[in-house]
Amino acid sequence: MIELRPSRRRKAIGIGCLCLGPVGLILPILPGFIFVGLGTFILRDQYVWAYRGVSVIDRRWPHLIPGIEAREVKAMEWGDRQIERVKSVFRRG
């Protein structure tokens, strides 16, 4: 059973990556496939179609998903720290 966990921030980042993907496929300076894959991975908890896309990768390469999820947790924690840091700067001023 799929458990969807809606988050506006994750949706914004995931859809942003999916929008950069086709641009990256056209322009030689952006890696388009990476942005499409990253956007799909980020949106896996938001939409059923993204979950199915990631489950295909999980069946093919099961050892990859836990490592990617660990990096994702670290990146989200880093982002939260940066947001709190910026908020504290504006609270002082």
Side-chain angles (χ1 to χ4, degrees), residues 26-37:
I26 295 169
L27 297 175
I29 57 173
L30 285 175
F33 289 111
I34 292 174
F35 281 110
V36 171

Side-chain angles (χ1 to χ4, degrees), residues 22-60:
V23 173
L25 294 173
I26 295 169
L27 297 175
I29 57 173
L30 285 175
F33 289 111
I34 292 174
F35 281 110
V36 171
L38 182 62
T40 304
F41 187 79
I42 291 171
L43 293 174
R44 77 191 183 284
D45 294 332
Q46 311 295 314
Y47 299 105
V48 175
W49 60 264
Y51 178 82
R52 288 183 186 141
V54 172
S55 67
V56 170
I57 294 170
D58 190 29
R59 276 182 274 154
R60 175 88 187 232

Side-chain angles (χ1 to χ4, degrees), residues 62-84:
H63 63 281
L64 289 180
I65 299 297
I68 294 171
E69 286 176 344
R71 288 182 187 98
E72 178 189 23
V73 167
K74 288 172 84 173
M76 295 300 277
E77 289 171 353
W78 179 84
D80 290 340
R81 285 193 307 271
Q82 298 307 312
I83 290 170
E84 289 303 317

